[in-house]
Amino acid sequence: MTRTRLLAALVMAPVAISAILLLSTPWITALAAVIFLIGLWEWFDLAEIDDTLSRTVLLVVHAALMVAIVWASRTDGLGATQAPMVLFKIASLVGVIWWLLAFLWLQRFNFASDHRTYARMFKLAAAALSVIPAWAALVWIHAEGPVGLLGLPDGHWWLLTALAVVWAADSGAYFAGRKFGMLKLAPRVSPNKTVEGLIGGAFAGVAAGVGFSLLAGATTDQLPWVALVSFVAVLFSVVGDLFESLLKRHVGVKDSGHLIPGHGGILDRIDGVLAALPVFALGKAIFGF
């Protein structure tokens, strides 16, 4: 399984990095929407929405909301933005607040686990509050910044930095957990996650954040703030990962899907990203890097 995961990662990583750096923000906006909506479709499985028509309607509603946010943030005929990224910023803030509430949900394993209607409603609300803000944060990060390294906008490099934090943390946690893991982090939700893995992931995520931020044009004075935001983003990514694990425990499945060999579904790959992106975007705005 490890070999399959590695081969899949070696294929996906160059494609993802190339898209982040080389595509314009409108294209990234559309591509990210497609990826996140696929993850959302898998989330409907975890929320036990079995009827295809119902799932399709829900997916269309979320897609329409994304389109509405883009439309409301469009530029007028003179090129002036009528609402420059305001809705994307508000959505990102909502996402941060939601993931703080999700952390509290994790403390109550049985909440919304009885498969009744109200449980589905809570999980569908969680889906919207996870996917839409993360997508908005991704667009917000990618869209900002002057031209920087290699003639690419700094925003492209900052988005790569934000994602590198999550990717590095995930890998660091995996290897640290396998080698040193003894203390269980959340045994009822995810038995394989350990405190040692969390520590290893935090170190790897912060190192990636600081290293990649230099490519994005971060100054020496900004690096401590980048490290702080990266650390908090790692913690939120763990909450995102654990929350998806909670949903899977409720319905008794191992993976959200089988689209990616060795990695499960799309949601299995973006669960940490969903929680980390709003935090990174907001932190970047607060500390001005």
Side-chain angles (χ1 to χ4, degrees):
M1 182 63 72
T2 301
R3 183 179 179 183
T4 304
R5 286 173 63 94
L6 179 60
L7 290 174
L10 289 175
V11 172
M12 292 187 296
V15 174
I17 293 171
S18 297
I20 292 164
L21 294 179
L22 301 179
L23 292 180
S24 64
T25 298
W27 280 105
I28 279 291
T29 300
L31 179 60
V34 171
I35 294 172
F36 283 14
L37 287 172
I38 294 173
L40 184 65
W41 183 268
E42 295 174 352
W43 193 307
F44 294 156
D45 264 338
L46 303 183
E48 298 183 292
I49 307 300
D50 300 321
D51 180 62
T52 301
L53 178 59
S54 298
R55 294 171 66 174
T56 302
V57 170
L58 287 168
L59 194 73
V60 169
V61 169
H62 285 78
L65 180 56
M66 291 176 171
V67 171
I69 292 173
V70 172
W71 180 83
S73 304
R74 71 196 187 284
T75 58
D76 60 25
L78 300 177
T81 305
Q82 296 177 7
M85 306 304 293
V86 169
L87 295 178
F88 292 93
K89 296 174 183 179
I90 293 174
S92 299
L93 177 59
V94 169
V96 173
I97 295 171
W98 150 244
W99 285 110
L100 291 173
L101 295 175
F103 176 73
L104 298 179
W105 188 336
L106 287 173
Q107 313 309 308
R108 300 178 63 85
F109 181 88
N110 292 323
F111 179 74
S113 64
D114 60 2
H115 315 301
R116 292 201 295 261
T117 300
Y118 85 89
R120 294 191 182 97
M121 291 175 60
F122 275 115
K123 290 176 180 178
L124 289 177
L129 291 169
S130 300
V131 172
I132 300 296
W135 167 80
L138 182 149
V139 176
W140 178 17
I141 296 171
H142 195 268
E144 292 204 336
V147 174
L149 184 65
L150 300 180
L152 299 171
D154 283 346
H156 296 203
W157 291 106
W158 278 117
L159 178 56
L160 180 59
T161 300
L163 294 174
V165 168
V166 181
W167 297 338
D170 187 49
S171 298
Y174 178 77
F175 289 108
R178 282 175 61 89
K179 188 170 181 62
F180 305 107
M182 294 182 64
L183 298 175
K184 299 299 183 182
L185 182 63
R188 193 173 185 188
V189 176
S190 184
N192 292 328
K193 287 183 173 54
T194 63
V195 174
E196 293 85 354
L198 173 62
I199 295 171
F203 274 108
V206 170
V210 171
F212 277 85
S213 71
L214 295 173
L215 300 177
T219 64
T220 303
D221 292 340
Q222 291 171 334
L223 293 183
W225 302 119
V226 173
L228 175 62
V229 172
S230 298
F231 176 70
V232 177
V234 169
L235 297 183
F236 270 70
S237 75
V238 174
V239 174
D241 195 335
L242 288 174
F243 190 78
E244 195 219 356
S245 296
L246 176 69
L247 297 180
K248 289 189 290 188
R249 288 280 171 185
H250 282 176
V251 294
V253 298
K254 182 178 183 296
D255 298 315
S256 66
H258 306 284
L259 190 60
I260 308 174
H263 290 266
I266 291 292
L267 187 59
D268 292 320
R269 290 300 90 211
I270 66 171
D271 50 7
V273 170
L274 294 178
L277 280 179
V279 171
F280 194 92
L282 193 62
K284 180 177 179 296
I286 290 172
F287 294 109
F289 55 78

